[in-house]
Amino acid sequence: MSSATTPPDSDPTGRRQVHSMLKLYYGMNEEGKVESLDPCDINGPHFDPEVYLNKLRKECSLGELMDHESCTVKQIRSLDSDMQTLVYENYNKFISATDTIRKMKNDFKKMEDEMDCLSANMAAITEFSAHISGTLQDQHAQITKLSGVHTLLRKLQFLFELPARLNKCLELQAYAQAVSAHRRARCVLQQYSHMPSFRGIQDDCHVIMEQLAQQLRQKFRDGGSSAKDLSECVELLLQLDEPAEELCDKFLSHAQSRLEADLQGLEAELIDSLVTDTGGGLVQKTNPGSNPVSPSSSSTTNPFLSPTAGTDILEFIDRGCNEFVSNLCLVIASYQELFINHPQEGELASKKIPEMANGKLHVFVDTLAARYFSLVERRIQEEKGVGDNSLLVRALDRFHRRLQAISKLLPGSAVPSQGTEIVVRAARERIKQYLSALQTFYHDSLTDVRQALAAPRLSVGGASASGGGATSKDATPSLPELLTSLSNFILNQLKSVLASVHLFTAKDITFSNKPYFKGEFCSQGVREGLVVSFIKFICQSSRQYCESAGDRGGSTPPALLLLLSRLCLDYETSTISYILTLTDEQFLVQHHTPVTPVTALCAEAREAAQKLLNHYVKVQGLIISQMLRKSVETRDWVNTIEPRNVRAVMKRVVEDTTSIDVQVGLLYEEGVRKAHSSDSSKRTFSVYSSSRQQIRYAPSYTPSAPMDTSLLSNIHKLFSERIDIFSPVEFNKVSVLTGIIKISLKTFLECVRLRTFGRYGLQQIQVDCHYLQMYLWRFVSDENLVHFLLDEIVGSAAHRCLDPSPMEQSVIEVICERG
Amino acid sequence: MERCFPFQTSVTVYKAYTRVESDANTIARALTAQTAETDAIRFLVGTQSLKFDNQITNEPKRLSSENRVLTCAAVWRMPPEWESGSHESPDDSSNNPQTLELLCHLDNTAHGSVACVLWEPLGDGKRVISLAENHVLLWDLQESSTKATISSTATLEGKGQLKFTAGKWSPHHNSTQLVTANDTAIRGWDLRSMSQIYCIENAHGQLVRDLDFNPNKQYYLASCGDDCKVKFWDVRHINEPVKCLEEHSHWVWSVRYNHSHDQLLLTGSSDSRVILSNMVSISSEPFGHLVDDDDLSDNEENQQEDKGKEPLQDSIIATYEEHEDSVYAVEWSAADPWLFASLSYDGRLVINRVPRALKYRILL
């Protein structure tokens, strides 16, 4: 339904006027509406009935027109009835409003009369009041005067009674009251002290207060009193003009005596633990002999020892914290309460007590803390076992945490920083201990390896004669196993140490966020001081095996040298970088200071490996050399019999070389060798012996062709490279074996040159050399090397031969094959 | 037949290579300088062949000779015309060699083979020491040196078969001390009592091959051996060597101090190398500061000198690799302190000079 105010067929202008007036009355805003300009809108203001009708007529069918008409009629009717009700309602309202206005007119008339009456009354009251005040004026002045006298009298009475009152307070020990009373009277007495009576009172009071102060001081000195009592005492004394400095001193000395008692307790514990520790050690040392017999006796003594002997560092620190540090904190707090934070009034404020008191407190705390720290440090130094680091770390943490309380109480104090320094020192010390523990561990594990090596070496020696190394391998770990177990041991130990050290930087530890523990501890301490030092130590101790073990091969078994060399090489290739990466990751090392780079360590490890391997070659070469040398030097080569066999020494040499080959092969790769001639040594050798060697020295016995000899030997030397005997070897089997064989054969050569040979002596050398040639070629990188050296040996022997007639090559071969 | 080389080297001859040649093949092992000769630079070479007479010594100084199976020693006289000296010219060396005159044999078959023979370093050359097996034999030569008699002996006793390998007669202490080497030990002897005065056990890891006294520092001694090392000893503190060199790659057979500039040290090794080293720190030369500190008048020159002299430290001066076989002997010339010879197994004798730059640095 559209609006009820616009019946379409009644007078439109009249209706609209009413409409707008009503709107005005109800405060509605006409501008808010958007008026539609459509003349066909029946509710719009521009409605044109003609247009509307025309439009309907044009557009609609008859039926629709009929419908529309009935609908319109219905609407008109309802609008009419609405209109009527509205008119009635408005009429009623108007009538009631008229009634109300009339009633109000009557009421106002009555109120005007009452107001007049009120103003008359008020005027009367004012008049009365003025009258009364006028009469009371005189009496009021008198009363004021009297009350002034009264108060003065009361004050005087107070003064006169003061000595007695003070005495009574003294008796009752109500010091606070006495002091406050005296304070109240003091100024007055001071002011009127020229009058004799007041003077008397003042003197009396002085005496009494002196007594009071005496008593207070006594109480203060006694010390048995509680902190609260004490503070009260101090407060009163301060009010009594007692010099604050003296009070501070007394207070502090009093506190000091108590704190010293704590410290002494700690010290006693320290000494106790020392004594019992050594005592326990002695007991343990004496025990083992009678161990199975004496469990009962030890169990009886144990409870005796346990309370003190068992005090670990955590307990110690705990005790220190709970007793000393907390007492210290209490003292500081109460002291500050008394002397520093206490609001000073009047003349006390001008004395600058807080500054003085603060200075004293700092000195006091510093000296006591220094003693405490020295005790703690002593205790920490005793902490030598590297077993459980967490205890120490927790103890240090607690120690450090408790000191933070002091720093809160006493902001400028150096104590917490000193405490941190102690922690830092302890951490450093710890790293050192771990390093030495690692070093001893390394030594121990090397000793183990050495023992493990000693056992199989014997059995290999026994077994190699029978030709079986496999049986001994089953019984004891082989070289590669030893190597892996050794390196695993070391790595695990290092890891566990790192884990222990890592506790220092754990998040829940208070000191871990100190700059030292974030930076220097990680980089300089752990990385450099522990890990790098340890790796360097490994390299260095390995090198020592090359130097100190003696030039004769020393006590170091060659297999150990080989093992260590491989270990160092492994370190160079992977382990070092792994360990360092691990450390860097665990400790988030930020390198503020330059640190040892991985490459430098690797180079060092490689150098150590090289040195060890060289030494190994030297030692093994020396062992074989000695055999050869003995065999050459002890034999009478002039009067020897015709060779029937290869000498046993040569077989031994080949055997040893083979076993070395096996040993090295366990740890090192094969390595490259120069290409062999297609066939085995046989053919090469036969070529070598039948053509070259024959030419080489056969003519030398016939003086007819001297040129040939020197020429050939020179040509040969021209084409062969210079042989460095003790030259560094590469990290592979062939190179190692080549080195050993070079050393051995060169020794052989030099020894042969110093001997004189008979005919058969020369022939024996020929046989021996051929035998060596048959077996040694396979071990070396360049078989020509062996050829050349053996050639030289036979040549030199021929030179030193009295009757140089060489053996037939075929005979040599037969002998060698038979041997 | 063997022959010696009277080298008349002029300054223009900087290096000389010579092979010891003969009809037979030559295997040379021994070398010495003719120490009594002051004008000519002359070296004597000993060979080791079995077939021919091949040894040489000159009259005032010695060389050991090994011959046949049993080794024995003999004293020889140099041909007298050498001593007249002046007629020699460089091409003279290609002429026929002069023969040595055998004076006497040191007849010591009872004591075994001779390892080494030593002339008395000072005095009139009447005394000779030979080391044979484990005996020290002191010989007195009769007038004109035609007969030698044993005047005193000492014997080294101990476990096993002890054999002297080398020895040296000390030029200090009025020639009363001798030092010998056997196996790895070095021993000092007092010739007056023929008793041992000190012993450096395990001086080297292996056999000790040679010894030499520092000519200017009486307690200093150099030794070399099969462990490829050259060690310097102060015989007053025998626990530790003063210094140790490890430059050779095989046994060191010979070590020689320069006679007048004892920082110069020559070593020969069976790695075929000869090494000349400059051991300033343990020589008698002042070390570490300059001598001419007071010479402040010419500052500029001083500074330049400083720059030049500063790096004069223990170092290898040169490694000579001319030899192709083991070098068994090296020796300084007696006449020219800047000249030295080395001899290798194949008979090649190489004569070298100290590099001129170093020579001037030492002299200036």
Side-chain angles (χ1 to χ4, degrees):
Chain A
M1 260 328 244
S2 56
S3 158
T5 51
T6 44
D9 45 356
S10 61
D11 179 16
T13 50
R15 288 241 55 96
R16 208 173 295 134
Q17 241 175 351
V18 174
H19 187 188
S20 62
M21 277 173 73
L22 272 172
K23 267 190 180 164
L24 215 72
Y25 178 76
Y26 286 110
M28 282 170 76
N29 203 354
E30 218 167 348
E31 276 88 42
K33 279 188 180 166
V34 181
E35 291 177 0
S36 83
L37 295 167
D38 188 5
C40 298
D41 184 4
I42 202 163
N43 293 328
H46 302 280
F47 181 65
D48 191 349
E50 273 312 305
V51 178
Y52 182 68
L53 268 179
N54 284 341
K55 188 176 168 220
L56 277 182
R57 250 182 257 135
K58 266 184 220 154
E59 288 175 358
C60 300
S61 62
L62 185 67
E64 278 172 342
L65 274 177
M66 294 293 284
D67 286 348
H68 204 269
E69 198 234 336
S70 66
C71 173
T72 313
V73 169
K74 222 183 266 171
Q75 283 180 359
I76 289 167
R77 261 191 215 129
S78 78
L79 279 173
D80 269 345
S81 69
D82 281 353
M83 185 87 148
Q84 269 172 0
T85 36
L86 270 175
V87 169
Y88 282 131
E89 271 172 19
N90 284 342
Y91 187 68
N92 280 342
K93 279 176 188 165
F94 182 70
I95 290 169
S96 70
T98 320
D99 289 347
T100 312
I101 288 166
R102 196 175 298 143
K103 206 175 168 188
M104 273 170 67
K105 242 178 217 167
N106 293 338
D107 287 350
F108 271 115
K109 224 169 259 170
K110 211 192 279 175
M111 222 158 71
E112 234 163 63
D113 297 345
E114 279 172 11
M115 284 304 286
D116 286 344
C117 179
L118 183 66
S119 64
N121 284 350
M122 284 308 291
I125 286 167
T126 318
E127 200 178 330
F128 268 118
S129 151
H131 185 67
I132 287 168
S133 63
T135 46
L136 285 181
Q137 185 86 47
D138 297 343
Q139 283 173 6
H140 177 75
Q142 218 167 353
I143 286 169
T144 318
K145 199 177 162 191
L146 279 176
S147 79
V149 171
H150 178 70
T151 42
L152 188 64
L153 279 175
R154 266 180 52 194
K155 276 184 186 163
L156 277 175
Q157 193 192 2
F158 174 78
L159 280 182
F160 288 126
E161 279 176 3
L162 189 61
R165 183 192 287 236
L166 288 177
N167 266 333
K168 200 173 180 191
C169 284
L170 206 57
E171 267 170 40
L172 293 172
Q173 296 194 328
Y175 302 117
Q177 276 176 31
V179 171
S180 67
H182 179 249
R183 262 183 55 207
R184 264 164 45 203
R186 196 162 47 182
C187 306
V188 183
L189 287 173
Q190 193 68 38
Q191 199 176 347
Y192 296 102
S193 59
H194 55 276
M195 288 201 244
S197 53
F198 284 105
R199 177 143 204 122
I201 293 171
Q202 194 185 13
D203 290 348
D204 283 356
C205 285
H206 262 303
V207 172
I208 294 167
M209 288 321 284
E210 204 60 38
Q211 217 174 334
L212 181 88
Q214 226 28 271
Q215 276 192 13
L216 279 175
R217 260 178 243 144
Q218 183 62 40
K219 194 174 164 193
F220 186 68
R221 217 171 290 137
D222 277 351
S225 45
S226 69
K228 202 181 165 198
D229 281 357
L230 260 181
S231 61
E232 197 183 283
C233 258
V234 171
E235 201 172 331
L236 293 177
L237 281 170
L238 270 180
Q239 284 174 1
L240 283 177
D241 269 354
E242 200 73 11
E245 205 169 333
E246 212 171 289
L247 277 180
C248 291
D249 285 346
K250 271 184 191 157
F251 183 87
L252 289 181
S253 73
H254 178 217
Q256 186 160 16
S257 67
R258 275 185 302 168
L259 290 172
E260 297 242 321
D262 288 343
L263 283 178
Q264 267 155 16
L266 283 178
E267 195 164 8
E269 190 173 315
L270 197 64
I271 290 162
D272 267 5
S273 70
L274 265 181
V275 168
T276 47
D277 272 0
T278 52
L282 280 175
V283 167
Q284 279 181 348
K285 269 175 196 165
T286 51
N287 257 352
S290 57
N291 227 4
V293 196
S294 62
S296 60
S297 70
S298 69
S299 68
T300 52
T301 53
N302 255 351
F304 232 87
L305 288 171
S306 56
T308 40
T311 47
D312 52 33
I313 186 157
L314 188 58
E315 276 176 48
F316 179 85
I317 295 283
D318 238 6
R319 197 174 151 189
C321 289
N322 290 339
E323 290 177 0
F324 176 77
V325 178
S326 58
N327 281 343
L328 187 66
C329 286
L330 273 183
V331 167
I332 293 172
S334 57
Y335 182 91
Q336 282 179 331
E337 189 63 32
L338 288 179
F339 297 106
I340 298 170
N341 299 338
H342 192 71
Q344 308 283 354
E345 68 275 300
E347 73 271 50
L348 284 177
S350 65
K351 287 183 182 169
K352 296 192 172 174
I353 290 177
E355 284 82 353
M356 182 273 302
N358 214 359
K360 277 192 190 301
L361 181 64
H362 275 286
V363 173
F364 167 77
V365 170
D366 284 352
T367 49
L368 276 177
R371 282 193 51 195
Y372 174 59
F373 288 157
S374 77
L375 284 178
V376 169
E377 264 192 297
R378 265 168 66 190
R379 183 67 186 85
I380 289 173
Q381 273 163 15
E382 276 166 39
E383 206 60 20
K384 292 230 165 61
V386 283
D388 191 8
N389 196 37
S390 65
L391 211 60
L392 177 74
V393 173
R394 264 162 58 204
L396 286 176
D397 178 39
R398 197 157 300 177
F399 171 72
H400 186 261
R401 206 185 286 268
R402 291 303 284 262
L403 287 179
Q404 297 312 305
I406 294 185
S407 82
K408 269 181 208 138
L409 279 172
L410 208 61
S413 170
V415 171
S417 63
Q418 281 170 0
T420 314
E421 264 169 43
I422 286 183
V423 173
V424 167
R425 268 204 293 278
R428 276 202 192 116
E429 196 56 36
R430 203 64 179 164
I431 286 175
K432 271 186 208 151
Q433 284 170 2
Y434 271 121
L435 182 61
S436 70
L438 274 178
Q439 288 173 353
T440 43
F441 174 81
Y442 178 70
H443 271 308
D444 290 349
S445 45
L446 276 196
T447 321
D448 288 350
V449 169
R450 200 188 270 243
Q451 276 163 359
L453 282 176
R457 268 186 78 78
L458 288 176
S459 57
V460 161
S464 65
S466 61
T471 49
S472 65
K473 260 184 208 165
D474 296 333
T476 45
S478 65
L479 273 179
E481 283 165 22
L482 276 174
L483 176 70
T484 47
S485 72
L486 176 65
S487 68
N488 282 344
F489 273 150
I490 294 172
L491 205 58
N492 287 340
Q493 191 71 13
L494 193 63
K495 273 181 185 164
S496 73
V497 162
L498 278 182
S500 307
V501 173
H502 195 241
L503 288 176
F504 276 108
T505 59
K507 280 225 174 67
D508 54 339
I509 304 293
T510 44
F511 53 74
S512 64
N513 56 8
K514 292 275 171 204
Y516 169 74
F517 280 97
K518 277 196 164 160
E520 204 195 336
F521 177 77
C522 294
S523 67
Q524 288 304 310
V526 176
R527 192 183 191 274
E528 294 294 295
L530 193 65
V531 179
V532 173
S533 298
F534 181 58
I535 294 169
K536 278 187 177 165
F537 167 78
I538 289 181
C539 297
Q540 200 183 341
S541 73
S542 304
R543 279 204 300 272
Q544 270 168 8
Y545 277 107
C546 307
E547 286 149 14
S548 67
D551 298 313
R552 286 174 164 273
S555 51
T556 321
L560 183 64
L561 291 174
L562 192 66
L563 190 92
L564 283 177
S565 143
R566 183 71 220 191
L567 183 74
C568 286
L569 194 66
D570 286 348
Y571 264 72
E572 190 254 331
T573 50
S574 58
T575 318
I576 287 179
S577 62
Y578 169 70
I579 292 174
L580 284 182
T581 323
L582 187 79
T583 316
D584 286 358
E585 275 170 7
Q586 261 193 22
F587 288 88
L588 302 171
V589 177
Q590 295 146 355
H591 304 301
H592 300 301
T593 45
V595 291
T596 321
V598 179
T599 48
L601 281 179
C602 286
E604 197 168 331
R606 193 179 178 85
E607 190 199 335
Q610 180 76 58
K611 227 168 175 176
L612 280 164
L613 198 62
N614 286 350
H615 194 61
Y616 174 77
V617 168
K618 235 179 199 177
V619 168
Q620 293 285 28
L622 195 62
I623 292 170
I624 296 179
S625 292
Q626 292 293 8
M627 256 185 322
L628 286 167
R629 169 185 261 173
K630 283 267 151 56
S631 79
V632 174
E633 280 178 357
T634 52
R635 201 176 168 105
D636 181 2
W637 290 99
V638 180
N639 303 316
T640 185
I641 52 157
E642 194 174 352
R644 305 241 168 257
N645 275 315
V646 178
R647 284 186 300 148
V649 172
M650 296 303 157
K651 291 181 180 166
R652 184 76 200 281
V653 167
V654 171
E655 265 167 26
D656 280 12
T657 314
T658 315
S659 70
I660 290 170
D661 184 61
V662 170
Q663 195 178 50
V664 177
L666 288 175
L667 291 181
Y668 279 101
E669 298 77 30
E670 180 72 25
V672 283
R673 57 177 91 215
K674 285 188 188 164
H676 284 293
S677 38
S678 58
D679 203 351
S680 73
S681 64
K682 265 274 183 64
R683 205 173 64 100
T684 357
F685 182 68
S686 63
V687 169
Y688 144 83
S689 50
S690 58
S691 61
R692 189 149 53 108
Q693 193 183 11
Q694 288 290 9
I695 295 164
R696 166 131 169 66
Y697 65 79
S700 63
Y701 318 122
T702 54
S704 58
M707 283 303 287
D708 222 4
T709 327
S710 58
L711 190 71
L712 271 170
S713 103
N714 271 345
I715 287 171
H716 179 76
K717 278 174 183 169
L718 208 65
F719 287 105
S720 66
E721 286 165 28
R722 181 186 289 273
I723 302 166
D724 268 340
I725 304 302
F726 290 112
S727 56
V729 291
E730 287 159 30
F731 294 107
N732 59 54
K733 194 177 86 176
V734 169
S735 176
V736 169
L737 264 291
T738 308
I740 293 170
I741 290 171
K742 263 196 307 195
I743 292 173
S744 313
L745 291 184
K746 179 78 178 178
T747 308
F748 194 16
L749 172 66
E750 293 295 342
C751 290
V752 161
R753 282 181 181 179
L754 286 175
R755 302 290 300 176
T756 308
F757 295 86
R759 175 179 173 186
Y760 295 127
L762 171 65
Q763 291 182 355
Q764 182 69 60
I765 293 287
Q766 270 184 290
V767 170
D768 289 350
C769 285
H770 183 82
Y771 182 80
L772 289 181
Q773 163 62 30
M774 272 169 66
Y775 289 100
L776 291 185
W777 67 271
R778 70 188 88 207
F779 298 121
V780 298
S781 61
D782 182 9
E783 54 189 320
N784 287 327
L785 191 84
V786 176
H787 295 173
F788 170 69
L789 280 168
L790 289 172
D791 231 8
E792 253 332 277
I793 292 170
V794 177
S796 296
H799 280 306
R800 298 288 304 161
C801 186
L802 297 169
D803 178 17
S805 50
M807 197 177 232
E808 274 297 314
Q809 187 60 35
S810 56
V811 182
I812 294 175
E813 276 169 23
V814 166
I815 291 175
C816 286
E817 260 150 50
R818 198 180 54 199
Chain B
M1 253 329 178
E2 192 41 62
R3 196 190 62 183
C4 286
F5 301 92
F7 280 102
Q8 183 73 56
T9 47
S10 61
V11 183
T12 51
V13 179
Y14 186 60
K15 281 181 182 173
Y17 300 88
T18 312
R19 278 191 64 82
V20 180
E21 285 171 28
S22 72
D23 302 341
N25 61 314
T26 352
I27 305 301
R29 284 200 86 100
L31 171 74
T32 191
Q34 186 183 354
T35 47
E37 181 67 76
T38 48
D39 297 331
I41 296 159
R42 186 173 293 156
F43 290 101
L44 304 173
V45 176
T47 63
Q48 201 201 15
S49 180
L50 292 165
K51 287 230 155 178
F52 311 97
D53 296 332
N54 53 9
Q55 263 57 53
I56 27 145
T57 46
N58 69 2
E59 197 264 324
K61 289 301 147 192
R62 58 86 193 166
L63 206 90
S64 69
S65 74
E66 298 170 57
N67 209 348
R68 314 290 300 184
V69 180
L70 273 183
T71 315
C72 57
V75 178
W76 306 77
R77 181 194 293 280
M78 294 274 281
E81 60 266 35
W82 285 6
E83 287 169 33
S84 58
S86 57
H87 69 274
E88 285 176 300
S89 58
D91 54 3
D92 194 35
S93 58
S94 59
N95 291 341
N96 283 334
Q98 293 88 351
T99 326
L100 297 177
E101 179 188 348
L102 177 66
L103 288 174
C104 67
H105 282 288
L106 300 178
D107 188 15
N108 56 349
T109 44
H111 296 104
S113 60
V114 174
C116 124
V117 180
L118 308 164
W119 282 93
E120 187 177 9
L122 302 167
D124 52 2
K126 288 284 182 208
R127 295 202 294 171
V128 173
I129 285 177
S130 66
L131 301 175
E133 296 286 338
N134 59 340
H135 303 286
V136 179
L137 307 173
L138 180 61
W139 303 80
D140 267 341
L141 297 178
Q142 304 297 321
E143 299 87 51
S144 69
S145 306
T146 50
K147 194 164 161 20
T149 51
I150 295 175
S151 65
S152 54
T153 61
T155 306
L156 177 66
E157 274 158 11
K159 270 188 283 180
Q161 228 184 351
L162 295 174
K163 257 170 104 175
F164 286 118
T165 54
K168 198 82 187 177
W169 199 328
S170 165
H172 308 291
H173 307 294
N174 207 13
S175 305
T176 54
Q177 283 190 11
L178 171 75
V179 64
T180 62
N182 66 300
D183 200 18
T184 61
I186 296 174
R187 287 162 206 277
W189 302 82
D190 189 336
L191 292 176
R192 291 166 299 189
S193 60
M194 291 308 266
S195 60
Q196 188 178 316
I197 45 178
Y198 57 83
C199 174
I200 309 172
E201 296 280 2
N202 288 325
H204 282 265
Q206 300 174 50
L207 208 64
V208 181
R209 289 280 174 192
D210 197 15
L211 300 156
D212 198 18
F213 276 99
N214 187 320
N216 298 329
K217 291 175 94 174
Q218 56 181 346
Y219 296 110
Y220 276 69
L221 182 68
S223 67
C224 60
D226 284 3
D227 55 359
C228 315
K229 288 175 187 161
V230 178
K231 289 185 179 180
F232 298 89
W233 303 90
D234 182 339
V235 297
R236 295 164 298 184
H237 308 103
I238 57 173
N239 294 326
E240 279 289 312
V242 181
K243 207 166 174 72
C244 183
L245 289 183
E246 224 179 327
E247 303 297 342
H248 284 289
S249 68
H250 203 246
W251 308 349
V252 188
W253 284 79
S254 179
V255 58
R256 286 287 179 270
Y257 276 111
N258 187 303
H259 300 304
S260 39
H261 303 281
D262 57 81
Q263 65 267 50
L264 298 179
L265 188 91
L266 207 55
T267 51
S269 155
S270 41
D271 63 1
S272 319
R273 291 193 182 92
V274 174
I275 293 183
L276 177 62
S277 12
N278 189 10
M279 305 304 296
V280 191
S281 67
I282 50 170
S283 72
S284 60
E285 298 281 314
F287 175 65
H289 62 89
L290 292 170
V291 201
D292 47 359
D293 274 342
D294 50 344
D295 196 16
L296 292 167
S297 53
D298 42 2
N299 273 333
E300 280 176 36
E301 249 180 275
N302 242 2
Q303 277 171 349
Q304 277 181 336
E305 257 177 85
D306 276 358
K307 272 178 209 163
K309 282 204 174 184
E310 213 63 69
L312 204 64
Q313 278 166 353
D314 291 359
S315 60
I316 304 272
I317 300 162
T319 304
Y320 300 93
E321 304 200 349
E322 285 94 353
H323 291 289
E324 273 160 10
D325 208 330
S326 306
V327 178
Y328 290 124
V330 289
E331 191 66 75
W332 291 94
S333 160
D336 182 352
W338 308 106
L339 199 75
F340 58 88
S342 53
L343 184 69
S344 61
Y345 183 72
D346 53 7
R348 178 176 294 180
L349 180 77
V350 176
I351 295 184
N352 276 303
R353 265 181 192 287
V354 174
R356 191 165 308 200
L358 182 80
K359 172 178 168 178
Y360 290 140
R361 191 181 285 177
I362 289 172
L363 285 177
L364 294 176

